[in-house]
Amino acid sequence: MSGQHALAQEATEPPSEPERAEANKLDTIFVTARRRAEQVSEVPTSLDVFSGDSLEELGVTSLETLQYQTPGLNIAVGGESTRVSLRGVGTNIASGAPSVAVHIDGVYIPNTQFALTELFDLARVEVLKGPQGTLYGRNATGGVINLVTEEPGSEFSADGWLGYGSFDLVTAQAGASIPLGDRGGIRVSGAFADDEGYTENLNPAGGEIDSRGYAGARLRGQYDLSESLSADFTVQYSEDDGTLGYGGSNNPASPVFASVPEAQRRSPGEINVDTAPDSYKEGLLLSGTLTWDVGNMTLKSITGYGEYEFNKREDVDGSGGFIAFATTDFQTEFFSQELQILGEEPGGLSWTAGLYYASESNRGRGIETDADFPDPTPFIFTDVSQSIDSETVAAFGELTVPLTSKLSATVGGRYTSAEQTGNGVFAAPLFLPEPIPTSASTDDEGFAPKLLLEYRPYDGGHLYASVTRGFKSGGVNIGFEGDTFDPEKIWAYEIGSKNRLANGRVELDLAGFYYDYTDLQLRTALFTDNGIDIRVTNATKAKIAGVELSSLFQVTPDLSVDLSGAYIDSELENFISPVTLTELQGQPTPLTPEVSYTLGAQYETQAFGQGTLTARVEANHQSSITFPQFTDLQRERRDAITLVNANLRYDFPGEQYYLALIGRNLTDEQYLTQRFFYEGFADTEYYAAPRTIEARIGFRF
């Protein structure tokens, strides 16, 4: 999807026929998904793009919301975990790299939560599907999400908005570009979001549950050091004391060990939590890019450094009385260095090559404090500490050769070497005389080739076919015992067509894909004598096949209609659940709806003088999905959902100020975002926000 808004008609006189034809055309959006600026229609892979303006108009401030506009993308949020799946590929495990890599201004962000917080001051979001190892420093088997922040402008400008909405939501975002002579400038931006949460705690302990409490700031700079050398940098800092995703409660229909006291849930929005959730997250990102143009080549150095930590306390007993709560402290630190060389000849020959190094250090500690009901005296039940260190080295590149004026071929490859070492200590003071140390390490390497053919039969038409190997290194499980899991690998086959038709008024993209997925890494929960051990295991194989559609129709200069959707048939093969020891042949991969689509319509018209009134309504549908636990597949699922959203916006004459009204989940659909089932222990369900309304007033000058 390359745009969500129709072109406004600025003329007050009735437009001429040529003016009508031009107004009916869709916007042209440029992206850097292949490390060079090009039109969306020229990128030979399935790609969804959202401009910063369209995100603002849709009221989107998180990728969790954006998933419903992106066929094949699914994001599950619950507690401290955020899991991303793209076309059925995704794990997002604590001890390994995510299957879907997220980049901010070209820098890979290893922690999914850090990357997927509030979105603000973005130029665009790019979602590339399938393995992308020949173009990006960090390999990923599922795909890549690029967050490209707004660049400084050549003139002073400022924009922003202030909003108020359901559950006493207060939001604000603003940004300003400040030129530094004629050689560069800086852009300063910030975001704030705070509300009381959409889940009420009936317990006297109180506290806000499923609340937002985010504050973030970013400094983006660009400067031309000479005619051929330029420097870019990004500094981003955020704090978040919200409890969004912490409103989990035990399903009353599932009796657990903690069922003796009163039930924990009256309704999904009214729960009884004796230990009010408390959460604090803090993140820092520093990145810098040096670009040197040398003739027909461009050399780039991309350096990234980040820190992220979160601390939380939450009720874990599944009852309305005090039995247990847990505290978690986690810190991560990462560094990356990427060197690129890009070249392009007048005849169409082009190449990209690069070297990549990354290191990551994770430290965490979790303590569960229990009480023997009805005796409220607390004691430490378990105390678990972990440290996991990783290093990755890679070389990658691809070469595109024109075969004819309409046909070209691309060959590429990637070599990856990754090491990971983990150490831990498990203690249960009342049951074990001494703490149990655990450790494990892994050392993996792999080569992933790529072959791509492109054909342009006519102006505005683009056909492609590709075969790509994806490789994601293995990792370590550090829990009650230390062990490892193997790398996962994927052969991805894709054919697609991108078309601009009807004199530029219709955009129609189609893609078909087939994945041969082996040793996929799956999160499971093992029941041991010491309790529940969350770990990663390898399934033998999975097959994933599907088709995707993305279309946009400029029906008139004022009316546009968009339809995007995906059909995905996924199934596990020869996989025996390590929890139940039952064969799960034919079960779908986690977080993979068979059918998903978005149907939207947008209308713009002049109103109240020379102002512009824009109205949009859309329906988002996802069929049922399973959650990644593999303990009880009848319970670990979510039924099909259909969400209805609508936006209304009025831009005052001159387009310097606007008013907007944003409604999400207008039918008040009640649906799960995540579920963890541990037979006899807990059946914790997390629910999404109900119907919400937000009003905004914005400016731009």
Side-chain angles (χ1 to χ4, degrees):
M1 183 182 301
S2 58
Q4 293 271 0
H5 59 280
L7 298 177
Q9 188 80 341
E10 296 183 356
T12 57
E13 299 284 336
S16 64
E17 287 303 317
E19 289 173 331
R20 283 183 181 275
E22 189 64 28
N24 262 13
K25 291 184 177 180
L26 298 169
D27 290 330
T28 298
I29 292 183
F30 286 83
V31 297
T32 54
R34 292 201 296 171
R35 301 297 198 180
R36 52 171 58 89
E38 56 189 340
Q39 296 182 29
V40 174
S41 59
E42 293 298 307
V43 181
T45 188
S46 185
L47 170 67
D48 289 281
V49 181
F50 301 88
S51 68
D53 288 340
S54 66
L55 294 175
E56 183 180 313
E57 292 172 5
L58 289 168
V60 172
T61 57
S62 73
L63 280 180
E64 193 274 332
T65 304
L66 193 62
Q67 67 176 305
Y68 299 107
Q69 276 82 30
T70 309
L73 177 65
N74 195 284
I75 301 175
V77 178
E80 79 279 8
S81 64
T82 300
R83 296 182 177 86
V84 182
S85 173
L86 191 54
R87 286 181 171 177
V89 180
T91 48
N92 294 284
I93 50 187
S95 59
S99 297
V100 180
V102 181
H103 297 76
I104 298 179
D105 289 339
V107 174
Y108 166 72
I109 309 299
N111 188 282
T112 308
Q113 279 193 304
F114 180 33
L116 303 184
T117 52
E118 296 282 325
L119 303 179
F120 67 97
D121 202 39
L122 294 179
R124 64 187 177 276
V125 175
E126 305 170 352
V127 183
L128 291 86
K129 300 169 184 177
Q132 305 292 330
T134 62
L135 286 172
Y136 288 87
R138 187 72 178 199
N139 193 19
T141 47
V144 170
I145 299 175
N146 287 327
L147 306 181
V148 183
T149 65
E150 193 68 60
E151 298 179 353
S154 59
E155 299 178 353
F156 176 82
S157 63
D159 58 86
W161 47 264
L162 176 67
Y164 180 80
S166 304
F167 307 106
D168 280 338
L169 171 67
V170 177
T171 58
Q173 292 193 10
S177 290
I178 305 170
L180 301 176
D182 59 357
R183 300 180 66 174
I186 60 173
R187 181 169 177 84
V188 183
S189 58
F192 174 85
D194 184 85
D195 65 20
E196 295 182 349
Y198 60 82
T199 301
E200 179 185 359
N201 189 6
L202 302 175
N203 194 283
E208 295 180 348
I209 305 179
D210 286 321
S211 65
R212 295 164 69 179
Y214 179 88
R218 182 186 302 126
L219 176 64
R220 175 82 189 269
Q222 290 183 332
Y223 198 78
D224 293 331
L225 302 175
S226 68
E227 291 185 357
S228 59
L229 182 64
S230 62
D232 298 66
F233 70 87
T234 300
V235 179
Q236 180 172 318
Y237 175 79
S238 64
E239 291 184 347
D240 188 350
D241 61 3
T243 58
L244 191 62
Y246 284 84
S249 58
N250 189 69
N251 180 0
S254 298
V256 297
F257 81 100
S259 298
V260 177
E262 59 182 305
Q264 191 179 52
R265 180 198 300 169
R266 178 186 295 175
S267 70
E270 298 175 308
I271 64 177
N272 188 347
V273 180
D274 58 84
T275 302
D278 182 57
S279 173
Y280 177 78
K281 309 178 188 73
E282 182 179 22
L284 171 68
L285 172 65
L286 307 174
S287 69
T289 301
L290 288 173
T291 304
W292 185 25
D293 293 321
V294 185
N296 63 342
M297 294 189 301
T298 299
L299 305 179
K300 279 190 175 183
S301 168
I302 304 173
T303 306
Y305 172 81
E307 297 176 355
Y308 178 75
E309 70 171 287
F310 79 79
N311 310 296
K312 70 161 186 172
R313 182 191 67 221
E314 63 177 333
D315 192 294
V316 295
D317 55 46
S319 78
F322 173 61
I323 293 181
F325 70 89
T327 58
T328 301
D329 300 303
F330 175 83
Q331 303 87 34
T332 185
E333 183 178 11
F334 59 91
F335 169 81
S336 66
Q337 177 61 56
E338 185 172 346
L339 300 175
Q340 297 177 6
I341 178 169
L342 303 91
E344 189 167 0
E345 300 289 345
L349 183 73
S350 62
W351 67 90
T352 301
L355 298 173
Y356 181 77
Y357 170 81
S359 64
E360 181 182 349
S361 176
N362 296 290
R363 302 289 183 270
R365 184 182 184 187
I367 299 175
E368 181 176 326
T369 301
D370 286 20
D372 289 327
F373 184 82
D375 182 359
T377 305
F379 61 89
I380 294 179
F381 180 58
T382 58
D383 185 346
V384 182
S385 299
Q386 297 180 354
S387 64
I388 298 176
D389 297 302
S390 307
E391 281 193 335
T392 300
V393 177
F396 59 94
E398 64 177 41
L399 171 69
T400 299
V401 180
L403 303 178
T404 70
S405 60
K406 296 183 178 181
L407 179 66
S408 64
T410 298
V411 293
R414 173 194 181 85
Y415 170 78
T416 302
S417 175
E419 298 179 358
Q420 187 172 96
T421 301
N423 295 281
V425 176
F426 174 78
L430 293 184
F431 308 102
L432 297 175
E434 297 291 337
I436 301 174
T438 59
S439 63
S441 63
T442 184
D443 187 352
D444 301 315
E445 61 180 0
F447 178 72
K450 173 182 177 179
L451 175 62
L452 167 71
L453 292 176
E454 299 177 70
Y455 181 65
R456 295 171 173 80
Y458 56 86
D459 187 24
H462 189 182
L463 306 176
Y464 65 90
S466 65
V467 180
T468 309
R469 178 73 160 172
F471 172 88
K472 183 160 78 76
S473 57
V476 298
N477 289 309
I478 302 297
F480 305 139
E481 299 176 353
D483 64 10
T484 64
F485 52 91
D486 296 330
E488 68 176 20
K489 300 168 284 291
I490 190 169
W491 277 109
Y493 306 86
E494 180 172 339
I495 58 172
S497 171
K498 298 191 173 188
N499 305 274
R500 279 221 166 191
L501 308 169
N503 195 29
R505 294 188 297 111
V506 176
E507 184 177 282
L508 180 63
D509 297 346
L510 295 167
F513 59 92
Y514 175 79
Y515 290 172
D516 186 359
Y517 196 7
T518 56
D519 294 324
L520 56 157
Q521 299 164 0
L522 296 176
R523 178 187 184 276
T524 57
L526 298 177
F527 298 87
T528 72
D529 294 338
N530 296 317
I532 301 171
D533 188 10
I534 307 298
R535 61 180 52 237
V536 176
T537 58
N538 292 97
T540 304
K541 184 178 289 189
K543 302 291 187 183
I544 304 173
V547 292
E548 292 176 341
L549 162 72
S550 182
S551 60
L552 182 59
F553 305 87
Q554 193 70 52
V555 183
T556 71
D558 304 321
L559 176 65
S560 64
V561 177
D562 55 272
L563 172 64
S564 60
Y567 171 82
I568 301 176
D569 180 22
S570 66
E571 61 177 48
L572 297 170
E573 295 185 352
N574 304 320
F575 176 55
I576 297 177
S577 169
V579 182
T580 63
L581 300 181
T582 57
E583 187 173 345
L584 301 180
Q585 176 76 21
Q587 292 293 331
T589 56
L591 304 178
T592 309
E594 186 176 40
V595 176
S596 60
Y597 65 80
T598 293
L599 175 62
Q602 186 161 305
Y603 183 76
E604 292 187 5
T605 184
Q606 286 189 356
F608 310 110
Q610 299 303 310
T612 302
L613 184 66
T614 304
R616 175 177 173 81
V617 63
E618 65 181 30
N620 314 129
H621 175 82
Q622 288 186 356
S623 59
S624 63
I625 62 172
T626 59
F627 295 113
Q629 196 76 7
F630 300 107
T631 57
D632 188 325
L633 295 179
Q634 295 302 314
R635 288 182 170 90
E636 296 161 4
R637 67 186 304 273
R638 185 195 71 195
D639 293 333
I641 60 171
T642 301
L643 306 179
V644 177
N645 306 316
N647 304 325
L648 187 65
R649 170 167 164 158
Y650 178 71
D651 287 273
F652 289 89
E655 298 185 346
Q656 288 189 330
Y657 303 97
Y658 68 85
L659 297 173
L661 191 64
I662 301 163
R664 308 201 66 82
N665 191 11
L666 293 178
T667 58
D668 206 18
E669 181 101 4
Q670 190 176 93
Y671 63 99
L672 290 170
T673 60
Q674 194 135 249
R675 186 175 186 176
F676 302 115
F677 178 77
Y678 313 102
E679 185 174 5
F681 288 87
D683 183 7
T684 307
E685 297 177 320
Y686 297 85
Y687 282 84
R691 175 175 49 241
T692 60
I693 306 294
E694 181 184 358
R696 293 178 182 175
I697 179 170
F699 67 92
R700 183 186 301 272
F701 57 84

